[in-house]
Amino acid sequence: MSTLSATNRSRQKVLGYPVDVVDEARALEVIESAWENHRSLHIVTLNAEMVVAAQQDSELDRIIRHAHLIIPDGAGVVWAVRLSGEHIERLPGIELAAAALDHAARYDKRVALIGGKNAVLRKLVDDLPVRHKGLDIVAWHDGYFTADEAESIVDEIAQQDPDLVLIALGVPKQEYFIDRWAHLFPRAVLIGVGGSFDVWAGEIKRAPKIMRDLHLEWLYRLAVEPWRIKRMGVSLPNFGFQVLQDRLRGTSGKPKNSGRDGEKNGR
Ligand code: UDP
């Protein structure tokens, strides 16, 4: 079984942000390793929008850099790494999260779900143990609670001692949440999964496979959720422009933000 430090050997940078060159099998090995060694593992699913958001948000910047495993969720991130001559394949967060649920079911691990609408969660609590046979969902809570309510909600979930916690609050809320509460889950794998619960519950459809294969999932999301144009319409061209600028200047990998380098490595 590979170790976390082995994973770090294949770490690339995109506009200064770390990205681990891992496929699903490798990422699952890292998850298994965390479970075996009773260690916490924070997984970030990096995409272009998140990189641009982090450049303008020092909290998000710090949280991404401190994550243990940063997977290439977005087509933009994959494109940027490939442009620097390295080989990398996309690993969508939603697919890794589903595979992690399979693993949790297989290895009798305890799962908690946080985020999404109440009705979505109720559906998942019924459906997921059927889809991932034997899955043990020990705790769940929807994602609509106040800052004052958060502590007692998280305390209650932590008391159930989950091994895998999926947090679907959207970026950057889910990253702030993980940063704030990870200390209560010292032996759990924590993954921010964005809109995955909505997809699993059938509320939202993923792009057809052909679009996913062509790395056009972002375009599909834009088409079905046009309100995203405000955010994506600025951040995606901004990201592309910066990556090209970096390539032309030969400065790929240098951070635009403060230049802090607080990445966790050597684990
Ligand atoms: N959400 C939530 N609480 C909030 C805001 C959002 O639980 O206060 C959930 C929302 O129901 C949805 C997910 O977070 O399921 C956000 O999905 P989205 O696809 O917008 O995430 P992103 O694009 O940031 O990955």
Side-chain angles (χ1 to χ4, degrees):
M1 178 177 296
S2 76
T3 62
L4 292 173
S5 51
T7 300
N8 283 344
R9 279 204 290 272
S10 53
R11 183 163 268 199
Q12 295 295 321
K13 292 252 172 126
V14 170
L15 298 178
Y17 290 92
V19 190
D20 293 308
V21 183
V22 284
D23 58 12
E24 187 177 288
R26 185 83 178 232
L28 287 174
E29 284 176 2
V30 176
I31 289 173
E32 282 172 32
S33 170
W35 282 336
E36 267 177 25
N37 295 301
H38 307 287
R39 299 181 83 153
S40 74
L41 179 78
H42 174 200
I43 302 179
V44 159
T45 66
L46 195 71
N47 59 40
E49 263 190 282
M50 206 169 169
V51 168
V52 173
Q55 288 177 326
Q56 292 146 19
D57 177 342
S58 58
E59 272 300 284
L60 184 59
D61 175 278
R62 176 183 61 75
I63 295 165
I64 293 173
R65 290 175 194 284
H66 279 81
H68 303 110
L69 183 66
I70 301 152
I71 66 163
D73 169 79
V77 164
V78 166
W79 167 72
V81 172
R82 287 185 181 172
L83 214 58
S84 67
E86 300 293 335
H87 181 74
I88 192 168
E89 293 291 337
R90 225 187 129 209
L91 175 52
I94 189 169
E95 290 175 16
L96 178 61
L101 288 176
D102 259 345
H103 251 49
R106 186 172 323 147
Y107 295 116
D108 292 326
K109 298 295 177 187
R110 299 159 69 81
V111 174
L113 307 176
I114 306 172
K117 294 189 215 88
N118 194 274
V120 165
L121 266 282
R122 283 177 184 282
K123 191 159 193 309
L124 292 188
V125 170
D126 286 342
D127 289 359
L128 290 180
V130 177
R131 228 174 286 166
H132 307 274
K133 211 167 166 21
L135 188 73
D136 188 12
I137 300 176
V138 294
W140 60 274
H141 201 285
D142 66 61
Y144 295 88
F145 47 82
T146 65
D148 287 344
E149 292 167 328
E151 184 159 11
S152 64
I153 290 169
V154 180
D155 265 343
E156 219 167 286
I157 292 172
Q159 273 171 32
Q160 296 303 315
D161 199 19
D163 303 291
L164 174 66
V165 187
L166 302 185
I167 299 111
L169 298 171
V171 177
K173 214 169 175 181
Q174 64 200 21
E175 281 69 35
Y176 297 156
F177 181 94
I178 291 171
D179 186 56
R180 173 75 182 84
W181 301 111
H183 65 282
L184 295 180
F185 302 95
R187 301 184 303 114
V189 174
L190 303 152
I191 316 178
V193 296
S196 302
F197 291 179
D198 298 327
V199 173
W200 292 337
E203 294 271 304
I204 293 179
K205 276 199 165 48
R206 267 191 92 189
K209 188 166 182 313
I210 178 103
M211 285 190 91
R212 301 204 301 255
D213 290 348
L214 291 169
H215 286 201
L216 291 175
E217 194 155 19
W218 59 274
L219 189 60
Y220 177 85
R221 285 200 91 176
L222 207 52
V224 294
E225 298 169 311
W227 53 267
R228 289 186 185 272
I229 187 72
K230 231 173 134 183
R231 208 169 66 180
M232 286 169 91
V234 175
S235 58
L236 296 186
N238 179 348
F239 176 84
F241 183 71
Q242 287 189 61
V243 169
L244 289 174
Q245 220 177 16
D246 260 13
R247 284 308 302 156
L248 292 173
R249 289 188 187 142
T251 56
S252 184
K254 301 259 164 49
K256 180 185 171 188
N257 205 337
S258 58
R260 262 186 318 275
D261 201 359
E263 291 161 38
K264 279 185 187 163
N265 43 34
R267 291 192 59 181

